[in-house]
């Protein structure tokens, strides 16, 4: 099981499009993915869960990945978050 | 009581006049009973849920297809997130588990869990997070409607001329209601920058926003809604009804179709002088084809729709393809593409990252673009690449001082150099112009005119900055009048500076299509009037009536009139005399 912390850097936060992007990325892997923000832990493959995090710019997310392809999954997820979801700010 | 006449001044979101009957809907207002179900029915509830979800996904996919066909790629993306929400495996598992463990109906469990998810979002101060709650509710109301069958999407038939009144509508609702021939919308939530506003404008459906509309407007009452001014009249008098019917005929979408039948474009004045006429556009839509067919130039193509479709700046390729499609459609007629004019009135409704105490005087238009130079350069590069038809012009909004023009032109030169190095073709003679909307720019127009290829006067903002009054603020909008001699003086000053420096000048605010103002602009020597497509037919007719040699004195008389009332009196006198003459 891998566990890392990532910060939401894009100005608009985890709104609909980035949430969709995050869930789509997590969904590509066999591993289980969880995000935790301020004690709220949600399934990373569920868009409703990710949206419930209401993560604004600057929010810290704990990313947990567990499964056969956890290494690749963690890398892909961090890349999406740290890349600001491709939003130019 | 219910047939009492009442007038509301709302916020205009999408223009046009409609007359009809109110149909008040309460999305999400379902009669959901949290009653226990016998253990034997649990499986049936789960099957019903799966069926409802399947139907919702099919509907959303269909909506998405229609959106792509009617409006185009960027807007259709709104449906992508909704499709993910509808098919959220994890969430549906949770619903099913709770149906089994608590033995409740699928509708009540689904509804409860959706509320758990949306409540924190609804209370967020962030506009984008609140928008997500609206997206989730849009999906949920569909699923619930299939489960219990009384809702928005269950309206299968509407009476003719129905004006739909509700708390908030999703883009899906707008499209679904349009298919049922609803003529307009009144909403209590969702500003000019909301997704539904964007879609409504492109479909040319009038929309007005006003607080508490569901409570104030009785279901079934007769309504007049003017999406251009924001006025709503509940139970109007017969006189008002016929007056607005007359106005609607003059301004409706049919008016755009009538452009096809205009005898001559560009129109000529009585004494045979050609007057340039152009269209202001905000989003590719059904009007474009008619305008392109008549070779009507686009005096102002706003590009903000590209940003608003995804709440982000689209990449170069996306922009390039959009601009190229527009350029090809209109060629050889010129298209003036305005660089992103984002600021308080486009994003202000709740976009907290933009919060400013005085946003109208803040970071907007070219000010923001010069700070975000990469975004600006990407947009310019896409516009330049699309300029190979040689009919694109670039316009910079909200110019205040010379250095902004110089800086922007430096960036444009850098982008051109890069394109040449990359061997990518563009129009080397592409014209770059500016919008004059700030009094400071109007008063120094002579200096600015020496640095640019054309000038366009944006009378809406010029009026608000000159009169220090916000058009949407009911308490002061009596002061907001572009006919005030101070505003007209600045317009005249700018036109004069353009004439002196031999560059074309156009007007692209609402005033350009105002029949009272048109003689004045002809008198000043304006080259082109660019207006919303629905006003072109009336404007052309007005131009046909004016004798350009007889209106020059009118300009001096109005500009020096000293007060709003005096200016308007002189224009009205002129119009009366002129109507007598013919």
């Amino acid at each position: 099981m891998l566990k890392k912390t990532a910060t939401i850097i894009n100005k608009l936060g985890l709104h609909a499009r980035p949430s969709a992007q995050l869930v789509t990325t997590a969904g590509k892997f066999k591993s289980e993915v969880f995000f935790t923000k301020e004690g709220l832990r949600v399934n990373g493959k569920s868009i409703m869960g990710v949206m419930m995090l209401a993560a604004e710019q600057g929010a810290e997310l704990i990313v947990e990945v567990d499964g056969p392809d956890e290494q690749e999954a963690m890398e892909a997820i961090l890349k999406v978050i740290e890349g600001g979801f491709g939003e130019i700010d | 009581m219910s047939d009492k006449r009442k007038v509301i001044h709302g916020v205009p979101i999408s223009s046009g006049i409609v007359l009809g009957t109110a149909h008040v809907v309460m999305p999400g207002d379902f009669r959901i009973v949290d009653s226990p179900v016998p253990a034997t029915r649990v499986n049936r509830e789960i099957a019903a849920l799966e069926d409802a979800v399947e139907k919702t996904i099919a509907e959303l996919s269909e909506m998405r297809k229609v959106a792509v066909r009617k409006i185009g790629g960027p807007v259709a993306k709104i449906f992508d997130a909704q499709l993910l929400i509808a098919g959220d495996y994890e969430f549906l598992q949770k619903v099913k588990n709770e149906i089994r463990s608590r033995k409740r109906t699928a509708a009540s469990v689904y509804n409860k869990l959706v509320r758990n998810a949306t409540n924190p979002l609804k209370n967020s101060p962030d506009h984008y997070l609140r928008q997500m709650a609206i997206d989730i509710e849009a999906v949920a109301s569909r699923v619930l409607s299939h489960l219990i069958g009384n809702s928005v999407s269950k309206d299968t038939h509407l009476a003719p001329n129905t004006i739909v009144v509700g708390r908030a509508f999703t883009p899906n609702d707008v499209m679904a209601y349009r298919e049922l021939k609803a003529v307009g919308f009144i909403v209590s939530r969702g500003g000019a920058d909301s997704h539904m506003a964007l879609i409504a404008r492109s479909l040319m459906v009038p929309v007005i926003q006003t607080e508490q509309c569901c409570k104030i407007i009785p279901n079934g009452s007769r309504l007049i809604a003017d999406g251009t001014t924001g006025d709503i009249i509940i139970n109007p008098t017969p006189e008002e009804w016929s007056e607005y019917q007359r106005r609607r005929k003059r301004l409706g979408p049919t008016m755009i179709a009538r452009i096809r039948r205009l005898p001559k474009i560009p129109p000529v004045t009585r004494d045979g002088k050609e007057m340039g006429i152009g269209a202001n556009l905000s989003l590719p839509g059904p009007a474009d084809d008619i305008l392109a067919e008549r070779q009507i130039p686009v005096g102002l193509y706003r590009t903000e729709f590209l940003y608003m479709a995804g709440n982000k700046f689209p990449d170069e390729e996306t922009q390039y393809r959009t601009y190229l499609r527009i350029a090809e459609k209109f060629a050889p007629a010129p298209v003036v593409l305005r660089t992103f004019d984002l600021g308080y009135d486009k994003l202000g409704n709740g976009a907290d990252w933009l919060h400013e105490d005085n946003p109208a005087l803040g970071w907007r238009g070219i000010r923001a673009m010069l700070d975000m130079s990469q975004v600006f350069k990407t947009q310019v590069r896409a516009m330049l690449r699309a300029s190979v038809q040689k009919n694109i012009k670039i316009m910079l909004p909200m110019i205040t001082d010379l250095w902004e023009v110089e800086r922007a032109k430096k960036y444009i030169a850098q982008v051109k150099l890069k394109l040449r190095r990359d061997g990518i073709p563009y129009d080397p003679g592409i014209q770059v112009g500016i919008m004059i909307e700030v009094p400071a720019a109007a008063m120094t127009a002579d200096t600015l005119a020496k640095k640019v290829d054309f000038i366009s006067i944006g009378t809406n903002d010029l009026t608000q900055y000159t009169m220090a009054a916000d058009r949407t603020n009911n308490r002061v909008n009596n002061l907001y009048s572009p006919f005030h001699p101070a505003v007209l003086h600045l317009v005249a000053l700018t036109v004069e500076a353009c004439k002196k420096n031999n560059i074309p000048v156009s007007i692209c605010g609402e005033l350009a299509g105002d029949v009272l103002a048109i003689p004045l602009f002809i008198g000043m020597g304006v080259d082109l009037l660019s207006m919303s497509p629905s006003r072109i037919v009336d404007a052309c007719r007005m131009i046909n009536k004016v004798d350009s040699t007889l209106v020059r004195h009118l300009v001096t008389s109005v500009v020096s009139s000293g007060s709003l009332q005096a200016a308007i009196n002189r224009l009205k006198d002129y119009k009366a005399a002129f109507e007598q003459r013919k």
Side-chain angles (χ1 to χ4, degrees):
Chain A
M1 207 268 290
L2 299 175
K3 191 168 173 178
K4 285 209 167 113
T5 303
T7 309
I8 302 295
I9 56 163
N10 60 314
K11 268 183 181 150
L12 306 183
L14 266 185
H15 63 90
R17 205 194 55 84
S19 301
Q21 203 184 339
L22 201 53
V23 169
T24 313
T25 307
K28 285 180 192 154
F29 299 94
K30 290 196 186 75
S31 302
E32 287 192 76
V33 178
F34 289 95
F35 299 119
T36 307
K37 190 197 119 189
E38 291 160 9
L40 178 61
R41 186 166 180 269
V42 301
N43 189 311
K45 296 185 180 183
S46 159
I47 191 162
M48 296 285 273
V50 172
M51 283 178 153
M52 271 175 87
L53 292 175
E56 286 148 26
Q57 187 189 19
E60 295 219 322
L61 290 191
I62 300 167
V63 184
E64 287 169 73
V65 187
D66 191 9
D69 48 4
E70 58 187 31
Q71 198 66 42
E72 300 93 297
M74 180 61 95
E75 267 172 38
I77 289 165
L78 290 183
K79 204 175 140 198
V80 168
I81 299 177
E82 282 159 6
F85 304 94
E87 296 189 344
I88 308 161
D89 286 322
Chain B
M1 185 60 200
S2 68
D3 54 2
K4 217 177 123 200
R5 180 183 172 278
K6 191 172 164 64
V7 180
I8 311 172
H9 302 286
V11 180
I13 302 286
S14 175
S15 60
I17 292 171
V18 284
L19 298 91
T21 311
H23 175 62
V24 182
V25 289
M26 303 279 195
D29 190 18
F30 302 103
R31 255 173 269 121
I32 296 168
V33 196
D34 186 32
S35 55
V37 294
T40 49
R41 268 198 52 191
V42 162
N43 282 338
R44 247 194 288 169
E45 286 298 316
I46 288 174
L49 175 72
E50 283 169 349
D51 181 53
V53 167
E54 210 171 287
K55 282 182 181 150
T56 301
I57 290 176
E59 283 168 0
L60 288 170
S61 313
E62 185 55 35
M63 288 278 184
R64 191 184 183 286
K65 255 192 265 166
V66 174
V68 171
R69 199 174 62 233
K70 288 199 175 158
I71 302 161
V75 176
K77 281 207 177 122
I78 296 166
F79 296 102
D80 289 347
Q82 292 193 5
L83 276 164
L84 277 176
I85 293 167
D88 191 322
Y89 179 79
E90 175 77 11
F91 180 76
L92 293 172
Q93 267 327 103
K94 236 186 341 192
V95 177
K96 288 177 196 168
N97 289 344
E98 196 163 324
I99 296 172
R100 284 193 196 97
S101 63
R102 286 186 56 233
K103 303 205 171 35
R104 291 292 192 276
T105 61
S108 76
V109 174
Y110 186 88
N111 186 47
K112 192 192 98 185
L113 294 180
V114 163
R115 270 166 213 278
N116 286 351
T118 53
N119 280 343
L121 296 172
K122 277 191 196 159
N123 296 329
S124 165
D126 188 297
H127 168 70
Y128 295 95
L129 296 179
R130 286 199 307 272
Q131 177 70 41
M132 283 199 320
I134 295 176
D135 280 334
I136 296 174
E137 281 173 350
V139 175
S141 70
R142 268 176 197 285
V143 173
L144 290 170
S145 80
H146 288 301
L147 280 171
I148 54 176
N150 78 348
S151 83
V152 177
S153 54
K154 280 285 158 162
D155 278 324
T156 50
H157 178 76
L158 290 177
N161 299 318
T162 293
I163 299 171
V164 185
V165 181
R167 234 176 26 228
F169 293 110
T170 62
N172 329 27
D173 295 336
V174 174
M175 285 172 43
Y177 276 121
R178 265 314 269 175
E179 298 289 302
L180 298 177
K181 311 271 182 256
V183 291
F185 292 87
I186 298 172
V187 296
S188 55
R189 280 200 291 159
D193 62 332
S194 66
H195 292 153
M196 78 84 75
L198 198 66
I199 290 198
R201 279 199 292 266
S202 72
L203 295 172
M204 296 188 278
V205 195
V207 181
I208 300 170
Q209 185 215 333
T210 181
E211 297 273 307
Q212 304 287 319
C213 63
C214 303
K215 285 190 188 136
I216 302 168
I217 301 172
N219 194 22
S221 56
R222 300 230 298 167
L223 277 189
I224 293 173
D226 184 342
T228 314
T229 59
D231 292 344
I232 302 164
I233 309 176
I234 305 166
N235 296 311
T237 63
E239 293 76 37
E240 285 171 325
W241 190 267
S242 41
E243 162 63 17
Y244 273 89
Q245 241 170 352
R246 216 167 47 73
R247 285 199 213 170
R248 183 180 57 114
K249 286 214 183 88
R250 287 208 337 249
L251 287 171
T254 47
M255 205 61 200
I256 294 171
R258 279 160 70 191
I259 291 172
R260 284 210 169 103
R261 301 209 297 268
L262 276 176
K264 190 170 176 344
I265 289 173
V268 287
T269 58
R270 242 171 109 96
D271 53 316
K273 197 175 157 254
E274 263 190 13
M275 183 73 195
I277 198 109
N280 296 345
L281 296 175
S282 310
L283 185 71
D288 298 22
D289 296 320
I290 297 169
L291 298 167
E293 180 190 311
R294 288 304 313 258
Q295 282 290 293
I296 293 177
V298 183
L300 165 61
Y301 214 122
R302 303 181 180 94
T303 57
E304 292 77 60
F305 73 93
L306 282 164
Y307 176 88
M308 291 189 299
N311 288 327
K312 65 163 201 153
F313 293 107
D315 61 23
E316 184 187 322
E317 278 308 309
T318 310
Q319 293 192 50
Y320 164 67
R321 282 195 304 271
T322 308
Y323 304 146
L324 186 69
R325 225 177 18 239
I326 295 168
E328 282 174 343
K329 184 172 271 188
F330 281 89
V335 175
V336 177
L337 294 176
R338 184 177 72 183
T339 59
F340 292 125
D341 185 16
L342 294 161
Y344 81 106
D345 56 347
K346 301 292 187 316
L347 288 171
N349 281 349
D352 300 285
W353 63 276
L354 263 178
H355 177 80
E356 291 178 341
D357 283 338
N358 201 347
L361 305 182
W363 196 62
R364 48 175 307 215
I366 197 72
R367 303 169 179 188
M369 280 297 111
L370 293 180
D371 286 344
M372 295 188 276
S373 59
Q374 217 34 63
V375 174
F376 181 71
K377 284 180 182 175
T378 302
Q379 187 176 30
V380 166
R381 192 174 151 101
M383 287 175 174
L384 284 168
R385 283 176 60 198
S387 71
V388 286
Q389 308 274 342
K390 298 201 192 306
N391 65 330
I392 284 186
K393 301 179 187 192
I394 298 176
M395 182 154 75
L396 312 169
M398 206 43 203
I399 292 287
T400 309
D401 185 59
L402 181 65
W403 73 265
E404 293 169 321
V405 179
E406 290 172 341
R407 176 74 58 87
K409 283 184 74 179
K410 194 176 95 186
Y411 288 151
I412 294 171
Q414 286 169 357
V415 176
K416 282 184 181 172
L417 183 68
K418 184 86 182 16
L419 282 173
R420 276 202 298 280
R421 283 196 187 137
D422 295 348
I424 298 171
Y426 66 92
D427 173 12
I430 192 164
Q431 294 190 358
V432 177
I434 56 171
M435 269 184 92
I436 300 261
E437 306 160 88
V438 179
M443 296 176 82
T444 51
D446 184 40
T447 309
L448 299 171
K450 291 183 170 60
K451 297 282 178 190
V452 297
D453 300 312
F454 64 93
I455 278 178
S456 191
I457 305 170
T459 49
N460 299 356
D461 273 334
L462 187 61
T463 305
Q464 97 153 342
Y465 292 131
T466 307
M467 303 304 290
D470 177 356
R471 168 162 70 154
T472 62
N473 182 339
N474 269 330
R475 297 189 192 92
V476 296
N477 63 10
N478 59 323
L479 280 172
Y480 176 98
S481 171
F483 288 107
H484 193 280
V487 180
L488 296 174
H489 194 167
L490 291 171
V491 173
L493 209 63
T494 308
V495 174
E496 219 170 279
C498 294
K499 297 277 127 191
K500 195 181 141 200
N501 291 286
N502 255 324
I503 60 166
V505 58
S506 62
I507 309 281
C508 68
E510 288 292 312
L511 198 59
D514 193 310
V515 288
L516 209 54
I518 285 172
L520 207 56
F521 293 140
I522 294 175
M524 288 179 188
V526 170
D527 299 293
L528 181 125
L529 299 172
S530 193
M531 61 198 72
S532 75
S534 59
R535 310 188 85 159
I536 289 177
V537 173
D538 275 353
C540 286
R541 298 221 169 105
M542 186 67 191
I543 292 165
N544 293 152
K545 291 178 194 164
V546 177
D547 185 328
S548 72
T549 57
L550 298 178
V551 281
R552 277 181 210 129
H553 71 282
L554 179 72
V555 179
T556 334
S557 152
V558 172
V559 165
S560 62
S561 60
S563 74
L564 177 57
Q565 199 49 57
I568 287 182
N569 286 346
R570 282 176 200 189
L571 284 165
K572 283 194 174 150
D573 286 351
Y574 168 81
K575 200 166 167 251
F578 160 106
E579 267 155 10
Q580 246 173 14
R581 201 176 62 216
K582 75 166 178 146

